[in-house]
Amino acid sequence: MWETGTSGERADRRPDRLGDPIMSLALTCAGSTKLITVSGEIDMSNAHLLTELVACACDSSAPVVAVDLSAVRFFSAHGVSALLQAQHIAVTAGAAFILRDPAPCVTYLLATSGALGDFRLNRGDGHPPRPRSTAVELATPLRADPLTSG
């Protein structure tokens, strides 16, 4: 298992428990699929490690590389870039690239960045993904502008 980061207090997010890694990666084989399980946070300090692990998984001619993102609790734009790069690496190596059960924070950022449609998604049980709302809901309903409405 690969782990990255340090623990302790950080100004931008809540403190981690002492000793907990910021991100953990695990690579397992499930039949002909290489499964990468990601937990924790994907940010600028560690997103490249995900891309590097996908490259390692593709070195062994895996027909499918699946990335389980169900345990991701923070996801940044660097994560979007890493997933796009990882997909390119897998496709270039001749492997299918699947995002498995992405956490809501991952789905939201992929949708708002316009990249969600670039990926094949799958739930962990092999079924197509459940629809998730990615729209931002307004706290108050929109009202007609009194200056322009009749």
Side-chain angles (χ1 to χ4, degrees):
M1 184 178 310
W2 292 11
E3 296 180 348
T4 183
T6 60
S7 59
E9 297 214 354
R10 291 173 299 185
D12 59 336
R13 294 188 291 270
R14 65 179 170 72
D16 287 338
R17 293 184 318 184
L18 191 59
D20 284 351
I22 292 175
M23 173 177 150
S24 293
L25 298 168
L27 174 61
T28 56
C29 295
S32 61
T33 300
K34 298 286 184 168
L35 176 63
I36 297 171
T37 305
V38 184
S39 62
E41 304 176 9
I42 303 175
D43 60 22
M44 84 175 183
S45 71
N46 59 22
H48 67 283
L49 296 175
L50 175 57
T51 306
E52 291 171 13
L53 188 54
V54 168
C56 288
C58 290
D59 283 347
S60 62
S61 302
V64 178
V65 175
V67 181
D68 184 332
L69 299 165
S70 60
V72 172
R73 66 178 187 266
F74 177 83
F75 188 71
S76 75
H78 295 279
V80 174
S81 178
L83 288 177
L84 289 168
Q85 290 173 15
Q87 178 172 251
H88 177 74
I89 290 167
V91 170
T92 301
F97 187 77
I98 299 170
L99 300 184
R100 184 171 152 182
D101 205 16
C105 63
V106 175
T107 304
Y108 178 80
L109 195 55
L110 289 175
T112 57
S113 68
L116 185 62
D118 294 337
F119 294 101
R120 286 178 54 191
L121 302 177
N122 201 322
R123 287 191 343 218
D125 58 9
H127 292 90
R130 291 171 280 222
R132 286 189 175 145
S133 174
T134 58
V136 176
E137 295 179 2
L138 298 174
T140 56
L142 292 176
R143 296 190 183 118
D145 185 350
L147 298 176
T148 60
S149 61

